[in-house]
C-alpha cells in the first residue's frame, strides 16, 4: 500500500488492484465489526446491490479462520457465501450510515469487517468467557481491528464503534431457551467490550446529551436484529426462543445491547436466509439505530411496548414509537389474525375480540370477557402457517430517507410480556425488576 498526497487529500493506492481510495486528512475511520451466522454474511443475498463502492468505506477480504487475510479494499459485496458476491447487512448499514451523515464525499468513512461463520451457534463464536477460551472467529475480530488500524492513511485516526450481530437460528434450532440466549448476548457484549478497551488508537468519546442525561452508552454497543425462523425449525404453532432472548437482552441491558429490528416482514430466499434486497433493507434500518447511538448520542429504542395495562376487558399497550405514529400495514405483510397480537390467559377465560390503534402510540385490545387467569400479551409470537415465524402488521410512519428508496419504517418487535408490564427502557437509571422468561 502506498500513499500520495495531493493538496489536502490523501489517496490510498492498493497494490495490484489498480484502486485509488481518496481520504481527506485528519478524518476518522469508524470501524464496525459484525458476527453471527450465515445471515451476517449475506448468504443467498444475490444479486447484491452494492457491487460497487459507496463513498470511502473499506473492508478486508478476511473470511473465517484460517482463511488468508488480504489488505484493505473498498467495501463492496464480497463472496463470503456466494460466488457472485452477497449483500450483507453490515455493508448495507455502513453505506446507509455514510449517506445519512453527509453522503459519499462528506459522510462517515466506515470500515466493515464481518467475521461470522455459517451455521455457528454461540459456543462457536464467543470470546474469552467461553469454557475453552476465545473462539477463532472472535480472535479474527481482534485481528481485523489491528489490520484496519495499522493500514490507515497519514492523518487518519481510528475509532472502534460497535459490533452488529445477526444470529440465533442454530441456537433456536437446538432449543436454547430465551433466558439462556439472553445470557449469551450479555456475555458476548461484555467480551467485545473488553476487546474494545484494549483497541489501539481508540478515539471515540461518550458524551452525554443534555436532553438524554441518563444515556450512557457502553464502550462498545452491540446492535442485534431478531431471529425469525422458529416456525421453519419447529413447525406451525410453535413459540420463539432466541427471538425472545434478543428482546429480553434489549430490555435488561439498555445502552449495551440495542435491538434494531425484527425480520418477519422481510422476504426470504428459503424461509431462513434473506434475499439480497432484504439484506439491504435490514441493513438500512439498522443504520438508523447506529446513527442514533453513535452519531446523535441518543438512546435507540425500537417499536416495542412501553407499558401494558388492563381495565376490565380492555387491554391498552403503550409503545415506544421511534418516529411518527402507529399504523397497520397489510400490504408489506399480509394481514395476520389480530394484526399479530395474542392474549394468553391461563384459564382460557377471555380472548381477543378486537384490535385497534387508539392513539399515535397506543394499541387497544378488547377482550371477549374479563379474564381470571395469569395473563400475558404477545406479538408476532406463534409461528404461522405459510411463514417461517410469527408475524404482525404494526409499524410506525418513519419517513427517514433511504439511499436506495426503501421504506425505513420501524416494525414492532416480537415480544411476550405480562399484564401490568412496564419497560426497563422507560428509564435506564431507575431499573425495574428483570423481565422473567416465560
Amino acid at each position: 500500500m502506498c500513499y500520495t498526497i495531493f493538496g489536502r487529500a490523501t489517496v490510498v493506492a492498493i497494490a495490484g488492484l489498480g484502486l485509488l481510495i481518496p481520504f481527506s486528512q485528519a478524518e476518522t475511520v469508524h470501524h464496525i465489526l459484525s458476527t453471527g451466522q450465515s445471515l451476517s454474511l449475506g448468504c443467498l443475498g444475490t444479486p447484491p446491490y452494492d457491487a460497487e463502492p459507496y463513498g470511502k468505506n473499506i473492508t478486508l477480504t478476511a473470511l473465517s479462520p484460517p482463511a488468508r487475510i488480504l489488505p484493505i479494499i473498498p467495501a463492496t459485496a464480497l463472496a463470503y457465501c456466494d460466488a457472485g458476491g452477497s449483500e450483507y447487512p453490515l455493508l448495507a448499514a455502513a453505506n446507509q450510515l455514510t449517506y445519512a451523515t453527509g453522503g459519499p464525499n462528506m459522510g462517515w468513512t466506515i470500515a466493515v469487517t464481518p467475521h461470522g461463520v455459517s451455521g455457528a451457534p454461540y459456543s462457536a463464536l464467543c470470546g474469552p468467557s467461553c469454557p475453552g477460551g476465545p473462539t477463532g472467529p472472535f480472535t479474527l475480530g481482534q485481528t481485523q481491528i489491528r489490520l484496519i488500524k495499522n493500514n490507515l492513511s497519514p492523518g487518519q485516526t481510528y475509532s472502534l464503534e460497535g459490533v452488529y450481530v445477526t444470529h440465533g437460528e442454530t441456537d433456536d434450532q437446538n432449543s436454547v431457551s430465551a433466558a439462556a440466549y439472553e445470557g449469551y448476548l450479555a456475555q458476548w457484549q461484555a467480551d467485545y467490550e473488553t476487546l474494545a478497551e484494549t483497541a489501539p488508537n481508540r478515539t471515540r468519546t461518550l458524551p452525554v446529551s443534555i436532553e438524554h442525561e441518563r444515556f450512557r452508552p457502553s464502550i462498545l454497543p452491540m446492535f442485534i436484529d431478531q431471529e425469525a425462523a422458529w416456525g421453519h425449525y419447529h413447525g406451525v404453532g410453535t413459540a420463539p426462543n432466541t427471538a425472545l432472548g434478543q428482546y429480553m437482552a434489549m430490555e435488561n441491558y439498555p445502552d449495551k445491547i440495542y435491538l434494531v429490528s425484527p425480520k418477519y416482514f422481510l422476504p426470504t430466499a428459503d424461509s431462513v436466509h434473506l434475499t439480497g434486497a432484504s439484506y439491504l433493507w435490514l441493513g438500512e434500518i439498522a443504520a438508523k439505530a447506529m446513527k442514533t447511538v453513535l452519531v446523535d448520542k441518543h438512546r435507540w429504542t425500537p417499536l416495542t411496548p412501553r407499558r401494558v395495562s388492563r381495565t376490565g376487558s380492555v387491554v391498552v399497550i403503550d409503545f415506544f414509537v421511534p418516529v411518527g405514529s402507529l399504523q397497520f400495514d397489510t400490504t408489506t405483510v399480509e394481514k395476520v389474525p389480530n394484526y399479530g397480537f395474542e392474549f394468553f390467559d391461563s384459564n382460557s377465560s377471555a380472548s381477543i375480540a378486537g384490535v385497534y390503534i387508539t392513539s399515535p402510540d397506543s394499541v387497544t385490545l378488547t377482550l371477549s370477557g374479563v379474564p381470571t387467569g395469569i395473563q400475558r400479551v404477545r406479538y408476532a409470537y406463534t409461528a404461522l402457517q405459510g411463514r417461517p415465524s410469527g408475524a404482525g402488521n404494526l409499524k410506525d410512519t418513519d419517513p427517514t430517507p433511504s439511499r436506495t428508496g426503501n421504506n425505513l419504517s420501524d416494525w414492532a418487535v416480537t415480544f411476550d410480556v405480562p399484564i401490568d408490564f412496564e419497560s426497563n427502557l422507560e428509564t435506564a437509571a431507575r431499573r425495574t425488576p428483570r423481565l422473567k422468561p416465560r
Side-chain angles (χ1 to χ4, degrees), residues 14 70 72 102-103 112 120 156 176 184 236 246 278 283 334 343 366-367 387 403 405 436:
I14 309 298
L70 299 176
I72 289 175
V112 294
Q156 288 185 310
V176 171
Y184 292 169
V236 175
Q246 289 156 341
S278 290
E334 185 178 356
F343 181 78
T366 58
L367 305 179
R387 302 190 68 90
R403 72 185 176 95
K436 302 299 182 183

Side-chain angles (χ1 to χ4, degrees), residues 285-330:
I285 290 176
K288 298 194 304 177
M290 295 177 184
K291 181 177 182 294
T292 298
V293 175
L294 303 177
V295 182
D296 302 334
K297 309 299 182 186
H298 293 178
R299 177 176 296 116
W300 166 261
T301 305
L303 184 52
T304 188
R306 181 191 296 266
R307 65 179 65 88
V308 178
S309 61
R310 179 182 64 81
T311 302
S313 60
V314 175
V315 176
V316 177
I317 309 161
D318 297 320
F319 282 87
F320 292 101
V321 180
V323 179
S325 58
L326 296 175
Q327 63 174 330
F328 291 131
D329 180 345
T330 57

Side-chain angles (χ1 to χ4, degrees), residues 50 57 75-78 86-96 112 403:
D50 288 299
N57 294 341
T76 61
L78 296 176
S86 302
E87 186 77 32
Y88 55 97
L90 179 58
L91 175 64
N95 289 344
Q96 174 67 20
V112 294
R403 72 185 176 95

Side-chain angles (χ1 to χ4, degrees), residues 17-378:
L17 296 179
L19 299 169
L20 295 179
I21 310 174
F23 290 107
S24 61
Q25 290 183 324
E27 74 175 343
T28 298
V29 173
H30 304 273
H31 190 183
I32 304 176
L33 305 164
S34 81
T35 189
Q37 297 182 222
S38 53
L39 275 74
S40 73
L41 302 175
C43 291
L44 302 188
T46 57
Y49 182 89
D50 288 299
E52 300 296 328
Y54 182 79
K56 298 169 285 184
N57 294 341
I58 56 176
T59 190
L60 301 164
T61 58
L63 300 177
S64 304
R68 183 183 177 197
I69 301 176
L70 299 176
I72 289 175
I73 60 173
T76 61
L78 296 176
Y80 288 114
C81 291
D82 305 290
S86 302
E87 186 77 32
Y88 55 97
L90 179 58
L91 175 64
N95 289 344
Q96 174 67 20
L97 186 54
T98 296
Y99 171 83
T101 53
N105 297 318
M106 301 298 293
W108 268 25
T109 296
I110 304 173
V112 294
T113 55
H115 51 270
V117 177
S118 181
Y122 167 75
S123 59
L125 299 168
C126 51
S129 297
C130 276
T135 60
F138 188 90
T139 301
L140 177 57
Q142 293 178 296
T143 301
Q144 291 172 334
I145 292 171
R146 187 184 72 251
L147 287 171
I148 293 293
K149 182 263 177 182
N150 289 344
N151 285 280
L152 295 183
S153 303
Q156 288 185 310
T157 57
Y158 176 84
S159 181
L160 181 59
E161 299 289 349
V163 57
Y164 182 17
V165 178
T166 299
H167 187 259
E169 289 76 22
T170 295
D171 285 307
D172 193 290
Q173 187 176 16
N174 294 338
S175 298
V176 171
S177 71
Y181 194 77
E182 177 201 3
Y184 292 169
L185 288 172
Q187 190 57 66
W188 215 352
Q189 190 276 332
D191 282 345
Y192 273 104
E193 190 161 285
T194 299
L195 183 156
E197 289 171 344
T198 60
N201 281 20
R202 190 171 192 282
T203 61
R204 187 166 74 89
T205 58
L206 301 175
V208 179
S209 59
I210 295 175
E211 66 272 30
H212 293 260
E213 61 180 9
R214 295 189 179 95
F215 174 54
R216 290 174 172 82
S218 72
I219 292 173
L220 195 76
M222 175 177 281
F223 300 91
I224 63 174
D225 48 49
Q226 209 167 20
E227 182 262 339
W230 61 91
H232 173 79
Y233 294 122
H234 302 294
V236 175
T238 56
N241 289 310
T242 58
L244 286 185
Q246 289 156 341
Y247 170 76
M248 291 159 58
M250 170 200 70
E251 272 285 333
N252 294 323
Y253 299 91
D255 301 338
K256 289 180 177 289
I257 298 174
Y258 296 95
L259 178 53
V260 302
S261 178
K263 294 198 288 284
Y264 59 76
F265 65 95
L266 297 168
T268 66
D270 63 355
S271 295
V272 175
H273 301 91
L274 304 181
T275 64
S278 290
Y279 285 120
L280 176 70
W281 194 357
L282 173 64
E284 292 191 337
I285 290 176
K288 298 194 304 177
M290 295 177 184
K291 181 177 182 294
T292 298
V293 175
L294 303 177
V295 182
D296 302 334
K297 309 299 182 186
H298 293 178
R299 177 176 296 116
W300 166 261
T301 305
L303 184 52
T304 188
R306 181 191 296 266
R307 65 179 65 88
V308 178
S309 61
R310 179 182 64 81
T311 302
S313 60
V314 175
V315 176
V316 177
I317 309 161
D318 297 320
F319 282 87
F320 292 101
V321 180
V323 179
S325 58
L326 296 175
Q327 63 174 330
F328 291 131
D329 180 345
T330 57
T331 301
T332 305
V333 175
E334 185 178 356
K335 187 179 183 300
V336 299
N338 296 316
Y339 298 103
F341 287 90
E342 301 177 34
F343 181 78
F344 170 80
D345 171 12
S346 61
N347 289 341
S348 300
S349 57
S351 59
I352 294 177
V355 179
Y356 310 95
I357 294 174
T358 47
S359 81
D361 62 357
S362 298
V363 170
T364 295
L365 312 180
T366 58
L367 305 179
S368 59
V370 178
T372 60
I374 298 170
Q375 303 149 47
R376 303 184 71 87
V377 174
R378 296 164 173 168

